[in-house]
Amino acid sequence: PLDLGQLQELVRQVSQMGLKDIRIAFVETSHARIANDEAAEILGRELGYSVRIFGHETEAALWLRYGES
């Protein structure tokens, strides 16, 4: 598992890949890691990405296909 600093670095690296036109969903099943993942989500949004953290793959898949309801 990545710590907060590593997650932030990952988000910064992804920001250089030109993926701003796609949705990025991350499924986190460990409640202990939610705070770190939410911080990475916030950083991604601040950089202009459409990114969300989900607790279940089904929710993530629906969001990836249809976006916000």
Side-chain angles (χ1 to χ4, degrees):
L2 302 176
D3 64 27
L4 181 57
Q6 291 170 319
L7 280 170
Q8 290 173 332
E9 181 58 28
L10 176 64
V11 170
R12 286 189 183 94
Q13 288 178 11
V14 169
S15 73
Q16 298 172 4
M17 296 178 157
L19 301 174
K20 288 198 177 189
D21 295 332
I22 65 168
R23 292 185 187 110
I24 301 169
F26 185 79
V27 178
E28 179 57 75
T29 58
S30 170
H31 293 291
R33 300 195 35 78
I34 292 293
N36 278 358
D37 295 340
E38 286 176 343
E41 176 182 346
I42 291 167
L43 179 58
R45 288 177 178 238
E46 287 175 352
L47 292 171
Y49 287 89
S50 181
V51 59
R52 288 210 32 213
I53 305 298
F54 294 91
H56 301 281
E57 187 176 342
T58 303
E59 294 171 339
L62 286 170
W63 179 76
L64 287 170
R65 286 188 190 104
Y66 305 110
E68 302 293 334
S69 56

